[in-house]
Amino acid sequence: MSHVGYGCLMAVDRDHVLRSAAALLTRKSTATMDEVAKAAGISRATLHRQFAGRDALVRALEALGIEECEAALDAARLDDGTAQEAVRRLVRELEKVAGLLAFLYTENQLFEGDGQHEGWARLDARMAALFRRGQQSGEFRIDLSPAWLTEALYGLMASAAWAVTEGRVAAKDFHHMIVELLLGGALRREEP
Amino acid sequence: MSHVGYGCLMAVDRDHVLRSAAALLTRKSTATMDEVAKAAGISRATLHRQFAGRDALVRALEALGIEECEAALDAARLDDGTAQEAVRRLVRELEKVAGLLAFLYTENQLFEGDGQHEGWARLDARMAALFRRGQQSGEFRIDLSPAWLTEALYGLMASAAWAVTEGRVAAKDFHHMIVELLLGGALRREEP
DNA sequence: CCCACATGAGACATAGATGTCTCATGTGGA
DNA sequence: TCCACATGAGACATCTATGTCTCATGTGGG
C-alpha cells in the first residue's frame, strides 16, 4: 500500500496537465497526444496513465470547463442587482474561461451523441434564467428569447477569444466588446 | 480527345458534389471521404478524381464559401441607403450561406499557416467598411471597432446556424435574432 | 456497331495517431 | 541502506483514414 500520498500527488499533476492541455488545445485544437504531453512537461506514457486516451482527456477538459463556468456563474451572483449588472459581472468572470470555452465550442463531437454532459444544460438554464429575469424586470427586450441570448453569449465569447488570439482585436477590450454588443448593440442610443 | 463535353459535365458534377459535401460537413465536420462520397451519390474513387484529397476538398469548400459570401455582399448593396438597412440586407443574404460559414469557421486549420485565402481579407474589409460607414454617418457607436463588429457578425451567424440545427431556436427567427442583437442589443430602448 | 471514357467496386499500400507493453532510472520514505 | 513506485524512453502492434491502383461495366457519340 502506498498510503495517501498517491491520490494527492496525482490530483495536483492531473490539474497541471489539464491546464497545459487546455492552453495548447485552445491554440491548436488538432494537437497530438505527444504535443499535449510535451506541453505539460511529461512523457506520453505518463499522460496515458492519467487519461485513458484522447477522448478521456477531452472529456476531462469538458468537465473542467463546465466546472470553471459554474464557478464563474457563482462568482457573478446572477441574482443580485439588476440583470444588466449581473450580465456585466458574468462576462467579467467568464473572460478567464473564454479560451477553453472556445475550444470546447468547436469540439462539436461532444454534442453529437445523446450522451452530452449534463453540465451544459445546467449552465444554459442558469444563463437563460438571468436573461428571463431581465425580461421580466423590463430591462431586456422580449423579442429575443433567453435561449438565443444564451447562445449568442457563447458565440460572442468564442469569437472574441479567437479574435484576440489572432490579434484582430485587443485583449483589454474583451469585456467591453462583448458586454456592449450583447446589451447595447451597434446602434447609437438616441439621446434622451 | 473527348471534345468539350468533358469539362462541362465535370463542372456540373463538381458543383453538386461540393454542395453535398457542404451540407454534410456542416452537420458533421468529421465526416469521412467515404461519407462525403456517399452523400454526393458517387464513389470514393470518383470523389478523389475530382478533388485530389480531403485537403483539396476543404479548400474548394472554402473557395465556394467565399464566393457565395461575396455574392451575398454584392446582392446586399452595402453602399445603398443607411448602414442599418444595409446590415439588414446583408444578414438576409448571408442567411443561406450560414451553414457553410459555420463549418468553415470551425476549420481553424485554414487559418493557422500564412497561406490563408485572400478572400477572407476582402470580405472582412468590405464588412468593416460598412460598419465604418455607419459610424461616420452617426448611426453606429464608435466604441465598438469595425473589426470587432465584423468578427461578431461571423460569430453570431455561426452560433445561430448551429443553434438552429440543434433545434434550440427556430429557423424562421434567424434574421431577426441576428440583426436585432447585432444592431440593437438585448437592452430595451428607452421610449423617446 | 464499335470505341472512348467516365464510373463504381474493391484491393492494396501508406501514413499518422493511438494504445499497450517493457525496462531502466531516479527519488522519497521506512 | 533498501525498497516501492512513479516516471521517461522507446519499441511494438493496431487502427483508421487516406491515397493509389486495377479492372469490369455501362453509356454516349461517331
Side-chain angles (χ1 to χ4, degrees), chain B residues 20-182:
Chain B
S20 305
L24 173 60
L25 291 172
T26 290
R27 292 192 309 267
K28 185 184 177 188
S29 62
T30 62
T32 298
M33 292 293 272
D34 250 314
E35 298 172 291
V36 172
K38 276 189 179 54
I42 61 176
S43 72
R44 198 164 64 97
T46 302
L47 180 59
H48 265 84
R49 286 184 189 109
Q50 294 186 329
F51 301 97
R54 188 193 182 76
D55 196 62
L57 175 63
V58 174
R59 293 288 170 174
L61 283 173
E62 183 185 30
L64 176 65
I66 290 173
E67 190 181 315
E68 304 214 323
C69 278
E70 294 193 314
L73 267 68
D74 291 338
R77 309 185 318 279
L78 300 189
D79 296 327
D80 289 6
T82 66
Q84 178 181 162
E85 291 166 351
V87 168
R88 291 178 185 277
R89 287 194 302 268
L90 175 58
V91 174
R92 177 71 69 192
E93 294 296 330
L94 281 178
E95 178 168 352
K96 59 178 78 71
V97 207
L100 178 55
L101 213 50
F103 162 67
L104 294 172
Y105 200 69
T106 64
E107 285 294 283
N108 37 27
Q109 55 172 2
L110 292 174
F111 313 108
E112 277 180 1
D114 296 332
Q116 69 247 39
H117 198 298
E118 55 175 7
W120 296 119
R122 276 203 306 272
L123 288 169
D124 289 355
R126 290 178 70 183
M127 295 196 206
L130 168 61
F131 290 117
R132 192 170 298 108
R133 177 166 83 84
Q135 289 179 331
Q136 287 168 351
S137 73
E139 289 178 80
F140 296 163
R141 47 204 288 190
I142 59 171
D143 60 328
L144 297 176
S145 72
W148 163 238
L149 292 175
T150 303
E151 291 290 329
L153 176 55
Y154 281 124
L156 289 177
M157 300 261 319
S159 297
W162 197 85
V164 165
T165 68
E166 291 293 308
R168 287 214 233 280
V169 300
K172 68 174 177 53
D173 296 332
F174 189 93
H175 178 260
H176 184 263
M177 289 189 310
I178 293 181
V179 162
E180 290 303 316
L181 186 64
L182 181 67

Side-chain angles (χ1 to χ4, degrees), chain A residues 26-30 84 88 105-106 108-109 111-112 116 124 131 135 138-145 147-149 151-160 162-163 166 168-169 176-178 180-190 192, chain B residues 26-30 84 88 105-106 108-109 111-112 116 124 131 135 138-145 147-149 151-160 162-163 166 168-169 176-178 180-190 192:
Chain A
T26 291
R27 292 192 310 267
K28 186 185 178 188
S29 61
T30 62
Q84 177 181 162
R88 291 178 186 276
Y105 199 67
T106 64
N108 36 27
Q109 57 171 4
F111 313 107
E112 277 179 5
Q116 70 246 38
D124 288 356
F131 289 118
Q135 288 179 332
E139 290 178 79
F140 297 164
R141 47 202 290 189
I142 59 171
D143 59 329
L144 297 176
S145 72
W148 163 238
L149 292 175
E151 290 290 330
L153 176 54
Y154 281 125
L156 289 177
M157 300 262 318
S159 297
W162 197 86
E166 291 292 308
R168 287 214 233 279
V169 301
H176 184 264
M177 289 189 310
I178 293 180
E180 290 303 317
L181 186 63
L182 181 67
L183 293 179
L187 288 180
R188 284 186 60 182
R189 307 249 122 172
E190 295 89 13
Chain B
T26 290
R27 292 192 309 267
K28 185 184 177 188
S29 62
T30 62
Q84 178 181 162
R88 291 178 185 277
Y105 200 69
T106 64
N108 37 27
Q109 55 172 2
F111 313 108
E112 277 180 1
Q116 69 247 39
D124 289 355
F131 290 117
Q135 289 179 331
E139 289 178 80
F140 296 163
R141 47 204 288 190
I142 59 171
D143 60 328
L144 297 176
S145 72
W148 163 238
L149 292 175
E151 291 290 329
L153 176 55
Y154 281 124
L156 289 177
M157 300 261 319
S159 297
W162 197 85
E166 291 293 308
R168 287 214 233 280
V169 300
H176 184 263
M177 289 189 310
I178 293 181
E180 290 303 316
L181 186 64
L182 181 67
L183 293 179
L187 288 180
R188 285 186 60 182
R189 307 248 123 175
E190 294 88 15

Side-chain angles (χ1 to χ4, degrees), chain A residues 43-136:
Chain A
S43 71
R44 197 164 65 96
T46 302
L47 179 60
H48 265 83
R49 286 184 189 109
Q50 294 186 330
F51 301 97
R54 186 193 182 78
D55 195 62
L57 175 63
V58 174
R59 293 287 169 175
L61 283 173
E62 184 185 30
L64 176 65
I66 289 173
E67 189 181 316
E68 303 214 323
C69 279
E70 294 193 314
L73 265 68
D74 291 338
R77 310 185 317 280
L78 300 189
D79 295 326
D80 290 5
T82 67
Q84 177 181 162
E85 290 166 352
V87 167
R88 291 178 186 276
R89 287 193 302 267
L90 175 58
V91 174
R92 177 71 70 193
E93 293 296 330
L94 281 177
E95 178 168 352
K96 59 179 77 72
V97 205
L100 178 54
L101 213 49
F103 162 67
L104 295 172
Y105 199 67
T106 64
E107 285 295 284
N108 36 27
Q109 57 171 4
L110 293 174
F111 313 107
E112 277 179 5
D114 296 332
Q116 70 246 38
H117 199 299
E118 55 175 5
W120 295 119
R122 276 203 306 271
L123 288 169
D124 288 356
R126 291 178 69 182
M127 294 197 207
L130 168 61
F131 289 118
R132 192 169 300 110
R133 177 166 82 86
Q135 288 179 332
Q136 287 168 349

